[in-house]
Amino acid sequence: MKPIEIKENIYWVGGIDWDLRNFHGYLTHRGSTYNAYLIVDEKITLIDTVKHYHFDEMMERIAAVINPGKIDYIVSNHVEMDHSGGLPALMEKIGSRATIFTSPNGEKGLLAHYRRKWNFKVVQSGDILSLGKRSLHFVLTPMVHWPDNMVTYLPEDRILFSNDAFGQHLASSERFDDEYPFSIILEEATKYYANIVLPYSKQVNKTLEAVSAFALDVIAPSHGIVWRSSVKQILAQYQKWAKNETEPKALIIYDSMWGSTEKIAYAIAKGFENKGIKVSLVNLQFNHISDIMTMVLTTKYICVGSPTLNNNMLPTVAAFLIYLKGLAPINRVGIAFGSYGWGGQSIGLIEDILKSCNWQVWEQIKNQYLPTDDFLKTTTEKIERLLTN
Amino acid sequence: MQKYVCTACGYVYDPAVGDPDSGIAPGTPFSDLPDDWVCPVCGVGKEDFEVQK
């Protein structure tokens, strides 16, 4: 387990989680990494740690550079246990002399997690810590994506240690954006934003503004690949995502019992197609909500369909809608649709949730029992008409 | 007096209670909070609050 030099005397010393496939309900098809960084200067500094079960791996990488007992400073940019989980074992191993620099909420959070009174030094935005030849500048970034989050900038090497911002769940031996297929990195960065960062887009704008003052050669996030050749590109992507900018595409997300809601889904798709709008049909039986969110991030038209079961919508659709609502995308157009036998409550319930997202919601499409060819034709024409107006 | 909710974390500022930990006395309306006041729960600024409906 070797360290990887990011810049002279600055090393990636993280852990690679090749087996991770589910990160609190977010499917991580390509695993992940927990990135810790070691800065060797007059004061030896470690930025963040790793998930607890990667502790030995991190220590092996650190030990290949220096004796870990020589670590003077630890910067904890984020309390969440995939980044702080290595702290208890680290503090035990190196003794309590190291100082932990963290935000006010970071100190509270670390105390609440580990119940140990380590040598904390609380920092505020604008505080500067000298390491010798280098310095660290702290910027608090509350709610990107927890109250305690902060980022750390190293001006002498023009590196931003951005923690979860700009991260991707992607396990690889390659450490840099120019060593790995860019489309995959971008796909994973998109999924990460959609599933983790999206609700805090307002705060992301502030972070981007604060970061724009920094000259950047490298963005070193706490998950996945390090950005050095595509720094401008990922910043531009974040600008776009934080503004909830979408493309004129349509997603038709549904589940079906006897195929009727599915028929309506395809009739809706035809309407979009006829108007030259690209459509994806997303059956909730075969697609995971975290993958669907990746698509939602850049899509303007979101149609959600469910038949009525027990006076309600299908549980798959309910799960998706609860997840969607929490992630709070805005500036979308929504349509609720579905087939039913009696009652037919599902369509109205879906519509209520779409409205509660503050979207523009178009008239619902609802059919009792099996849709006739005429109904399907009318549905297609209705979509065409709505798109024309 | 009008309550305000933090759009980031859901904390509700209740003027009747104020925010004593941050030196804000009970009875202080949201509009009278200093510009550098931040949400006591998550740390975002006043601009991230909206009127509670």
Side-chain angles (χ1 to χ4, degrees):
Chain A
M1 301 290 177
K2 289 188 168 31
I4 294 171
E5 198 165 38
I6 302 282
K7 282 214 173 188
E8 200 185 348
N9 287 325
I10 300 171
Y11 302 87
W12 173 85
V13 291
I16 307 176
D17 201 341
W18 297 101
D19 295 342
L20 185 80
R21 288 297 177 272
N22 186 327
F23 192 92
H24 54 58
Y26 165 160
L27 294 194
T28 49
H29 303 289
R30 294 185 170 100
S32 194
T33 68
Y34 314 105
N35 298 338
Y37 299 94
L38 184 72
I39 303 168
V40 180
D41 204 319
E42 286 162 33
K43 294 289 183 188
I44 311 272
T45 304
L46 182 68
I47 309 238
D48 292 317
T49 67
V50 291
K51 223 177 196 174
H52 67 95
Y53 54 80
H54 284 277
F55 176 73
D56 291 341
E57 183 181 342
M58 176 182 80
M59 293 308 276
E60 198 178 323
R61 293 188 206 273
I62 294 173
V65 183
I66 49 127
N67 169 5
K70 291 188 168 171
I71 293 173
D72 299 290
Y73 296 155
I74 298 163
V75 173
S76 178
N77 280 321
H78 182 25
V79 167
E80 209 168 1
M81 286 180 285
D82 47 340
H83 309 297
S84 71
L87 265 182
L90 180 68
M91 295 307 275
E92 193 142 312
K93 192 136 190 159
I94 68 176
S96 52
R97 70 178 197 96
T99 307
I100 300 175
F101 295 81
T102 190
S103 68
N105 276 323
E107 184 190 31
K108 276 186 218 161
L110 289 172
L111 283 169
H113 275 72
Y114 304 114
R115 315 271 171 201
R116 292 190 180 87
K117 295 213 163 167
W118 293 316
N119 188 14
F120 288 109
K121 174 86 178 69
V122 168
V123 297
Q124 296 288 353
S125 280
D127 284 359
I128 298 172
L129 171 67
S130 172
L131 307 181
K133 290 186 190 123
R134 297 174 181 79
S135 61
L136 295 178
H137 294 223
F138 302 110
V139 180
L140 306 194
T141 56
M143 299 319 283
V144 180
H145 64 120
W146 274 23
D148 57 272
N149 271 93
M150 65 176 197
V151 299
T152 301
Y153 178 58
L154 201 174
E156 290 79 7
D157 292 284
R158 299 152 71 104
I159 302 177
L160 179 71
F161 298 99
S162 63
N163 196 268
D164 280 339
F166 313 111
Q168 336 92 46
H169 284 310
L170 180 55
S172 64
S173 301
E174 293 84 354
R175 274 287 56 79
F176 296 101
D177 53 358
D178 44 40
E179 299 175 335
Y180 201 85
F182 189 74
S183 60
I184 296 178
I185 306 172
L186 187 59
E187 182 189 334
E188 293 301 343
T190 309
K191 186 171 189 181
Y192 196 91
Y193 192 96
N195 284 276
I196 303 279
V197 190
L198 179 58
Y200 311 112
S201 288
K202 223 170 159 179
Q203 286 76 34
V204 171
N205 279 320
K206 272 188 233 165
T207 301
L208 290 170
E209 207 184 302
V211 163
S212 69
F214 300 145
L216 291 177
D217 286 349
V218 172
I219 296 179
S222 56
H223 293 291
I225 293 274
V226 172
W227 308 92
R228 68 175 176 192
S229 296
S230 323
V231 167
K232 276 191 185 143
Q233 216 165 325
I234 189 61
L235 284 170
Q237 286 293 343
Y238 262 60
Q239 302 256 2
K240 205 171 141 187
W241 295 332
K243 280 189 213 143
N244 265 277
E245 266 179 35
T246 56
E247 290 156 36
K249 300 182 294 187
L251 270 178
I252 301 169
I253 302 150
Y254 68 95
D255 200 347
S256 203
M257 288 170 71
W258 293 100
S260 294
T261 297
E262 183 160 57
K263 278 185 186 158
I264 302 171
Y266 276 80
I268 292 172
K270 214 184 259 180
F272 281 106
E273 262 177 21
N274 290 347
K275 284 290 173 184
I277 289 174
K278 294 272 179 288
V279 183
S280 297
L281 281 141
V282 185
N283 185 332
L284 281 159
Q285 287 295 320
F286 310 114
N287 293 275
H288 192 265
I289 54 175
S290 63
D291 290 318
I292 301 172
M293 281 313 300
T294 313
M295 298 190 260
V296 168
L297 185 65
T298 54
T299 300
K300 181 173 177 186
Y301 302 99
I302 314 287
C303 313
V304 183
S306 174
T308 298
L309 176 76
N310 306 331
N311 298 337
N312 219 308
M313 67 185 93
L314 289 178
T316 48
V317 182
F320 167 70
L321 285 173
I322 288 292
Y323 194 57
L324 172 85
K325 194 184 168 186
L327 289 165
I330 53 168
N331 305 337
R332 294 332 193 252
V333 175
I335 303 178
F337 67 95
S339 162
Y340 66 101
W342 57 97
Q345 295 90 337
S346 57
I347 299 99
L349 290 169
I350 293 171
E351 195 171 79
D352 288 346
I353 296 179
L354 299 181
K355 281 182 179 160
S356 75
C357 295
N358 292 319
W359 295 2
Q360 183 186 344
V361 177
W362 285 352
E363 194 189 328
Q364 56 178 240
I365 297 165
K366 188 173 177 178
N367 178 72
Q368 190 173 21
Y369 290 117
L370 276 64
T372 61
D373 288 347
D374 264 358
F375 178 84
L376 296 173
K377 192 164 164 271
T378 312
T379 296
T380 301
E381 286 165 0
K382 188 173 173 179
I383 297 295
E384 290 172 16
R385 203 172 53 244
L386 285 164
L387 287 166
T388 310
N389 292 340
Chain B
M1 267 188 289
Q2 190 62 58
K3 291 179 186 174
Y4 279 73
V5 61
C6 173
T7 56
C9 75
Y11 162 84
V12 177
Y13 177 77
D14 180 353
V17 178
D19 177 17
D21 288 347
S22 313
I24 305 297
T28 308
F30 186 80
S31 55
D32 286 359
L33 292 172
D35 288 343
D36 59 356
W37 179 82
V38 295
C39 172
V41 174
C42 77
V44 303
K46 274 180 82 176
E47 61 282 9
D48 287 342
F49 278 71
E50 51 188 42
V51 173
Q52 192 181 42
K53 285 167 201 156

